[in-house]
Amino acid sequence: MRIGIDGNEANLKKRVGIGEYAFELLAQFKKFKAGDINFTIYLKTNPVSDLPPKRDGWDYQIVGPGRLWTQIGLPLNLYLHKPRPDVFFTPTHYAPRFSPVPTVVSVMDLSYLHYPKLFKQSDLYQLRNWTAYSVKQARKVFTISRASKNDIIKYYQIKPERIVVTYPGYKFKNTMQSSKLLTEKYGIKGSYILFVGTVQPRKNLVRLIEAFSRIKRDSSSSAEGDIQLVIVGKKGWLYEEIYEAPKKFGVEDKIKFLNYVPDEDLPVLYKNAHVFVLPSLYEGFGLPVLEAMAQGCPVVISNTSSLPEVGGDAAVYIDPENVESIVEGIEKVLGDTKYRQSLIKKGREQVKKFSWEKTARETLKVLEEVAKEGR
């Protein structure tokens, strides 16, 4: 059996979201005893150094041209080169436009349909059109929450049995980094609230910054007079208003934008934060929630989309469209030490439900079934 995989999202040095999902699946597939399974990873460029090395049953195929790769380069390769895969898996929204073999895709979320105004027009066009044809022609569609599954059924009118929910895992990022890193590398001193994620409108950071400004001004319950808000994440689309918000709300000296932070530094940031806040308008899953819980950081998250599935009873839930609700959620954790400790304890139990190995095994099982059906 030969399984083809689009590895481009994993073939990056700085991975977030889909990139991390794709990389972790490849890393787990490589660990499994493949038996009679041969994996071919299709890429636009040579594999980066931390992708699994080539071996028997694990190969990389460089396909060009890079432009319109999914529309032209990849489909032509699948038609012209043999042996062909028995199934082609795309851990993103976009499958090859035309394919001589069965395809399987992953759809993280449908935020672009819920909040189209938060996307650039060029990105929105591609997400709408390429996802639509990919989902409709796919034998199976993976997604990462029940909330996303319900959205896919609603918007794309496909049968529920064609959609498979595989929750992502998380990594215990073992590190020897000292808390001195916070001051020496990132200039963080004292107490702080933490956000981790791509800096884009869907993450609702303008409201978070406004809420933070109210905590600073009005809160007597949190005795954290010098508390900061630390925002970790690379710039996404339409980030300008977010970067202007601290000045707008008078807290520019209390907010740090750290941009992208390497994985090995994240545990220290989580461990030393007073609270992690993810006030997103919509999430397909929310990996940073698990990462925070795993490092003993209490979480405050939105009550929307998939986040209640991730947080369970180990989170404080807020209405992301109500600034006062965000303020109250944060102050609830900052102002009650016993409650904060109970959240930390519940969080450590919650993360035990998730693992990348489980995700990969469930994914591989479905790919094998589709490959056998296609023979």
Side-chain angles (χ1 to χ4, degrees):
M1 180 183 297
R2 189 174 298 274
I3 296 176
I5 301 175
D6 178 350
N8 288 297
E9 290 292 338
N11 197 33
L12 302 170
K13 292 183 179 179
K14 296 181 179 180
R15 306 180 185 97
V16 295
I18 290 178
E20 186 171 354
Y21 168 82
F23 176 80
E24 291 297 336
L25 287 183
L26 292 183
Q28 292 296 328
F29 289 162
K30 182 65 184 290
K31 293 178 183 178
F32 298 158
K33 291 183 179 179
D36 63 347
I37 299 177
N38 291 287
F39 293 93
T40 302
I41 316 304
Y42 292 74
L43 301 173
K44 299 177 186 178
T45 59
N46 290 327
V48 296
S49 60
D50 61 342
L51 280 179
K54 184 177 177 179
R55 61 155 168 80
D56 289 343
W58 187 277
D59 194 19
Y60 292 98
Q61 190 164 150
I62 311 303
V63 177
R67 184 174 173 80
L68 295 178
W69 189 83
T70 308
Q71 305 289 306
I72 298 174
L74 177 59
L76 283 175
N77 184 278
L78 291 174
Y79 273 100
L80 298 176
H81 288 78
K82 295 184 179 180
R84 292 171 179 163
D86 295 297
V87 60
F88 190 87
F89 170 47
T90 303
T92 71
H93 292 223
Y94 308 144
R97 171 70 76 169
F98 307 102
S99 176
V101 300
T103 60
V104 177
V105 300
S106 291
V107 175
M108 301 293 105
D109 62 66
L110 301 187
S111 55
Y112 55 92
L113 296 180
H114 285 274
Y115 297 96
K117 293 182 179 179
L118 302 184
F119 290 77
K120 291 180 180 178
Q121 284 302 308
S122 58
D123 294 331
L124 184 61
Y125 175 84
Q126 184 168 304
L127 281 163
R128 280 176 166 169
N129 289 277
W130 291 20
T131 304
Y133 82 71
S134 298
V135 166
K136 288 176 182 177
Q137 75 179 21
R139 295 287 182 89
K140 293 285 185 180
V141 178
F142 290 114
T143 193
I144 52 178
S145 68
R146 293 191 301 272
S148 291
K149 177 176 180 175
N150 292 336
D151 278 350
I152 294 167
I153 294 168
K154 176 181 176 181
Y155 285 100
Y156 291 111
Q157 300 295 302
I158 68 173
K159 295 179 179 179
E161 55 267 28
R162 285 179 55 202
I163 307 170
V164 180
V165 176
T166 55
Y167 288 120
Y170 71 97
K171 293 182 293 186
F172 276 112
K173 298 183 176 71
N174 296 319
T175 178
M176 299 302 291
Q177 297 283 22
S178 161
S179 58
K180 291 181 180 179
L181 178 81
L182 299 176
T183 303
E184 295 174 355
K185 186 173 180 178
Y186 296 113
I188 300 171
K189 299 178 181 179
S191 303
Y192 62 93
I193 297 163
L194 179 66
F195 166 89
V196 177
T198 303
V199 178
Q200 58 177 296
R202 176 167 60 92
K203 301 297 183 176
N204 203 29
L205 287 167
V206 173
R207 285 196 182 96
L208 174 58
I209 291 167
E210 182 180 356
F212 174 73
S213 73
R214 294 190 188 182
I215 290 171
K216 292 296 299 171
R217 251 195 337 264
D218 304 329
S219 173
S220 57
S221 62
S222 95
E224 308 290 343
D226 62 344
I227 199 166
Q228 301 173 78
L229 173 60
V230 175
I231 296 174
V232 173
K234 68 179 185 179
K235 294 176 181 177
W237 47 70
L238 304 176
Y239 65 85
E240 293 83 0
E241 184 184 3
I242 298 166
Y243 271 73
E244 294 166 0
K247 184 175 181 180
K248 176 181 177 181
F249 296 109
V251 287
E252 60 266 41
D253 61 332
K254 295 295 183 182
I255 294 182
K256 285 188 175 293
F257 288 95
L258 299 188
N259 212 314
Y260 177 84
V261 166
D263 280 355
E264 60 266 24
D265 290 356
L266 283 173
V268 175
L269 285 161
Y270 284 124
K271 284 178 181 178
N272 289 278
H274 259 55
V275 60
F276 169 79
V277 186
L278 187 65
S280 300
L281 297 171
Y282 184 98
E283 287 285 343
F285 188 74
L287 279 175
V289 176
L290 295 184
E291 292 176 345
M293 288 178 173
Q295 299 300 329
C297 181
V299 301
V300 174
I301 58 179
S302 298
N303 60 7
T304 59
S305 58
S306 65
L307 287 172
E309 295 177 56
V310 184
D313 67 350
V316 174
Y317 293 97
I318 49 95
D319 176 357
E321 299 194 44
N322 185 323
V323 173
E324 190 55 39
S325 176
I326 301 173
V327 172
E328 291 173 359
I330 295 171
E331 289 188 334
K332 189 173 183 179
V333 179
L334 293 179
D336 190 332
T337 301
K338 287 185 178 180
Y339 182 66
R340 183 173 183 276
Q341 291 302 317
S342 72
L343 280 179
I344 291 171
K345 183 177 179 180
K346 289 179 179 179
R348 292 195 186 280
E349 291 301 311
Q350 179 69 3
V351 296
K352 293 178 182 178
K353 301 175 184 178
F354 305 89
S355 79
W356 282 117
E357 180 182 354
K358 180 181 179 182
T359 308
R361 289 195 183 280
E362 292 173 351
T363 302
L364 186 57
K365 180 181 178 182
V366 173
L367 294 176
E368 291 182 90
E369 290 171 353
V370 172
K372 289 175 182 176
E373 291 170 2
R375 288 180 172 177

